Amino acid sequence: MIVAVLDLNCDLGESYGAYVHGADDEMMPMITSANIACGAHGGEPAVMRRSVDRAIDHGVAIGAHVGLPDRLGFGRREIPTSGQEVYDLCLFQIGALDSFVRVRGHVLQHVKLHGALYMMANRDRVLAEAACAAISALSPSLLVYVLPGSQLHSAAMAAGLTTVAEIFADRPYRDGHVQMYDRSPGLVGGPDQVVTRSLRELDRAHGSGGLSLCVHSDTPGAPALLRAIRAALLRAGYSFQSPTPSTPVPTHSIASPTTKGSMQ
């Protein structure tokens, strides 16, 4: 039996306006790290605030989910983007989410790029280095979630940043490579297929450093899939914990009006 500590992460906070996206409320209690959208591909200030509050209430570590400014394509369309633009996007979005985290007296744990930007930076060294430069400039203690063996992985290590290698439970793999945009129900599979894929890819990734398993909140049936994964991993000897514990820092926390019941 494997005895290992594993992070369970989920992309959350992607609703905006009248549009509700993802099973956030059901997923939050079952994860250890939350990747919260920062207002570009999804999310908005009120959603960011509520997502941060819920994560803190559940003891879930918080990361900035930085995407391309493309709401129409939900950040999943590749758009020609320069290194300078990636740097600016990272500074802008991480800083925005960090403000909501700081006023609660907590610390941002990590950065995870979203969708097309994630895939672009994982294969393009210039974009990878730009993202890492922004993260280093803001806080070298921020963790970077990466595909194992990718350009982003090596660029982050070269920049002295700590990486967390990411496995995707609800995305198919072909020849050892994740197929990020193949999201049909048949390719994602049901609980048995998702569990088998997770165990297989975790076994392959051992030795890559810190590991995190992702289940997207907008995958059909995501809560049931995550419950099946957790049960199978517990049986296999895994326990669940974020890479860094979600604990308050000794600083003044500014109360949100939400805490007084005046906002929802």
Side-chain angles (χ1 to χ4, degrees):
M1 176 183 287
I2 295 170
V3 178
V5 176
L6 178 67
D7 178 48
L8 297 175
N9 83 79
C10 185
D11 302 347
L12 302 164
E14 293 173 320
S15 301
Y16 60 92
Y19 302 99
V20 177
H21 197 81
D24 291 17
D25 289 344
E26 294 177 83
M27 299 293 278
M28 190 74 81
M30 294 189 285
I31 62 175
T32 54
S33 293
N35 318 307
I36 297 176
C38 306
H41 72 278
E44 63 181 13
V47 174
M48 292 163 68
R49 171 180 53 77
R50 289 195 296 266
S51 299
V52 166
D53 288 346
R54 287 170 183 160
I56 291 171
D57 289 345
H58 285 93
V60 172
I62 299 168
H65 202 28
V66 176
L68 294 174
D70 176 28
R71 287 186 185 271
L72 185 61
F74 200 66
R76 290 171 174 159
R77 302 185 297 184
E78 295 205 0
I79 298 171
T81 305
S82 70
Q84 184 64 60
E85 288 171 325
V86 169
Y87 181 89
D88 295 343
L89 284 169
C90 287
L91 284 184
F92 178 71
Q93 294 180 58
I94 298 168
L97 184 67
D98 190 45
S99 65
F100 289 99
V101 176
R102 284 177 177 268
V103 298
R104 286 297 309 272
H106 282 247
V107 175
L108 198 66
Q109 173 187 253
H110 68 276
V111 175
K112 176 182 168 180
L113 304 183
H114 166 80
L117 183 57
Y118 183 87
M119 299 307 290
M120 291 160 65
N122 273 303
R123 69 169 186 263
D124 186 317
R125 183 68 178 215
V126 172
L127 302 186
E129 289 178 347
C132 292
I135 294 166
S136 295
L138 282 167
S139 175
S141 64
L142 284 168
L143 309 179
V144 187
Y145 281 44
V146 299
L147 282 179
S150 65
Q151 289 293 332
L152 184 58
H153 193 175
S154 59
M157 290 192 296
L161 297 168
T162 301
T163 61
V164 178
E166 188 171 27
I167 302 301
F168 292 88
D170 55 351
R171 294 292 184 266
Y173 280 74
R174 186 177 300 122
D175 300 324
H177 299 286
V178 65
Q179 308 301 299
M180 195 63 72
Y181 301 124
D182 292 340
R183 298 188 302 277
S184 69
L187 289 171
V188 171
D192 290 344
Q193 290 165 285
V194 169
V195 165
T196 298
R197 178 186 302 128
S198 300
L199 292 170
R200 181 192 68 220
E201 296 303 325
L202 286 169
D203 185 61
R204 286 180 178 175
H206 277 298
S208 300
L211 287 176
S212 186
L213 184 72
C214 176
V215 180
H216 295 84
S217 68
D218 61 347
T219 295
L225 294 177
L226 183 52
R227 282 192 289 270
I229 290 166
R230 285 178 57 94
L233 291 174
L234 284 169
R235 289 194 298 269
Y238 285 92
S239 60
F240 310 121
Q241 182 178 300
S242 62
T244 56
S246 178
T247 54
V249 294
T251 186
H252 176 61
S253 175
I254 302 173
S256 163
T258 305
T259 61
K260 300 176 182 178
S262 60
M263 292 181 63
Q264 298 299 323

